[in-house]
Amino acid sequence: EPEVTQTPSHQVTQMGQEVILRCVPISNHLYFYWYRQILGQKVEFLVSFYNNEISEKSEIFDDQFSVERPDGSNFTLKIRSTKLEDSAMYFCASKRQGGTEKLFFGSGTQLSVL
Amino acid sequence: ILNVEQSPQSLHVQEGDSTNFTCSFPSSNFYALHWYRWETAKSPEALFVMTLNGDEKKKGRISATLNTKEGYSYLYIKGSQPEDSATYLCASPTGTASKLTFGTGTRLQVTL
């Protein structure tokens, strides 16, 4: 069965460094998302992406964050200057259509900012 | 209810027990209710997406009901097995269809 793949599975970085989290969504999906879960907290929405542009973003998704779909298969999340509070499990998700379709999630990237 | 809430936070049952947990969500401007199962070190996997009041869905030993008027959904597991051990997340779009708001999850542990 097709799946969403994320790399790396773990990323350790120093505060202030840039990180890029990579995702390959399912090939015929059109809607792409990033969510994250800080340890002990709820899974929270970061950004949605459709038709090569951001369709919605949360308050968390400030100027330090950006997303790209550079080549039609990869979907990346960049954090320009990481902070300690960016430490979290970051999930990529995709779905084929809009509306009430279920999301397909990757297995996540655990980001640790030291 | 302004947020998506789940209870209990964790649950420990024996193999063969049946169990259920609750998801509460905003009943105004309801759009859909999602249930996901998240096993450790794996991807969260969709169980159900429910949209109609009174809807019941079933997948093997797992079933779910939906009450959109009062804003709650129940997830039932019949005859729990160790492989059912996971965190069960519910989520509802709040604001727009593209943005899911998740509950804190119910962590289920099934022992022999």
Side-chain angles (χ1 to χ4, degrees):
Chain A
E1 187 175 348
E3 58 183 26
V4 176
T5 56
Q6 287 187 245
T7 54
S9 56
H10 293 83
Q11 174 94 48
V12 180
T13 190
Q14 296 288 327
M15 190 170 57
Q17 295 295 305
E18 174 184 287
V19 294
I20 297 176
L21 309 184
R22 302 180 192 281
C23 170
V24 180
I26 294 172
S27 61
N28 63 346
H29 285 193
L30 301 175
Y31 295 79
F32 313 108
Y33 305 84
W34 284 99
Y35 285 80
R36 76 176 186 186
Q37 186 186 40
I38 294 170
L39 189 63
Q41 298 185 23
K42 294 182 179 184
V43 174
E44 53 189 356
F45 169 84
L46 293 177
V47 66
S48 58
F49 192 87
Y50 169 72
N51 201 26
N52 283 320
E53 62 182 20
I54 291 174
S55 46
E56 189 168 3
K57 59 185 180 179
S58 70
E59 293 170 356
I60 304 163
F61 196 90
D62 61 21
D63 293 344
Q64 295 299 315
F65 290 85
S66 62
V67 289
E68 251 192 344
R69 188 160 160 79
D71 56 11
S73 64
N74 292 284
F75 179 51
T76 61
L77 174 69
K78 183 193 289 187
I79 308 175
R80 195 166 60 194
S81 178
T82 50
K83 305 184 185 77
L84 296 175
E85 55 264 36
D86 294 328
S87 295
M89 177 73 87
Y90 286 79
F91 290 102
C92 173
S94 67
K95 65 180 183 179
R96 190 167 47 93
Q97 296 177 346
T100 59
E101 271 221 351
K102 64 184 179 183
L103 292 181
F104 290 78
F105 283 90
S107 54
T109 293
Q110 181 66 57
L111 176 65
S112 299
V113 182
L114 306 178
Chain B
I1 295 170
L2 300 177
N3 214 343
V4 179
E5 304 289 348
Q6 290 186 250
S7 63
Q9 203 166 22
S10 65
L11 201 49
H12 189 170
V13 302
Q14 302 236 307
E15 183 182 14
D17 288 349
S18 293
T19 187
N20 66 86
F21 13 99
T22 307
C23 173
S24 304
F25 53 86
S27 55
S28 59
N29 299 316
F30 174 79
Y31 193 72
L33 192 281
H34 295 227
W35 281 102
Y36 291 87
R37 175 171 59 200
W38 182 17
E39 294 178 65
T40 304
K42 294 187 178 179
S43 313
E45 175 194 358
L47 290 171
F48 308 112
V49 179
M50 308 174 79
T51 57
L52 299 176
N53 184 43
D55 206 4
E56 290 188 32
K57 295 216 172 189
K58 191 173 179 182
K59 185 176 182 177
R61 294 178 290 99
I62 304 176
S63 60
T65 61
L66 181 68
N67 182 323
T68 61
K69 295 186 188 308
E70 294 181 38
Y72 64 84
S73 175
Y74 294 133
L75 189 81
Y76 300 90
I77 302 179
K78 186 177 176 182
S80 304
Q81 300 295 311
E83 57 264 32
D84 296 328
S85 298
T87 296
Y88 290 82
L89 297 165
C90 72
S92 186
T94 50
T96 65
S98 69
K99 176 186 169 185
L100 286 181
T101 296
F102 281 83
T104 48
T106 293
R107 187 174 175 183
L108 174 67
Q109 189 173 356
V110 183
T111 52
L112 297 170

